[in-house]
Amino acid sequence: MLVLSRKSNEEIVIGGNIRVKILEISGNRVRLGITAPNHVPVLREEIFARMEANHAGELEFELAGSSAG
């Protein structure tokens, strides 16, 4: 993991086409602005984890259904 320090209004560039800008720092919260191509999904970690869990549940259901026949 790369760890960087940034101040408000500074940016990080990833792969030349993704930009993460520090918009505001307030106490222990940081507001980020993310610019990425439309084909790159940008999700909060908890949403991504929920989607993965739902997808895993769907796969289990499909596997159980295919063995029943």
Side-chain angles (χ1 to χ4, degrees), residues 2-48:
L2 174 64
V3 178
L4 301 172
S5 295
R6 300 278 75 199
K7 295 178 182 176
S8 194
N9 292 317
E10 293 183 336
E11 290 187 349
I12 298 166
V13 179
I14 303 169
N17 61 351
I18 299 171
R19 293 180 173 272
V20 180
K21 184 173 185 175
I22 309 306
L23 299 177
E24 180 182 350
I25 302 168
S26 178
N28 64 350
R29 298 190 62 119
V30 177
R31 291 187 63 218
L32 302 174
I34 302 169
T35 305
N38 290 338
H39 68 276
V40 176
V42 178
L43 303 168
R44 294 187 330 234
E45 188 277 332
E46 61 273 18
I47 302 296
F48 181 75

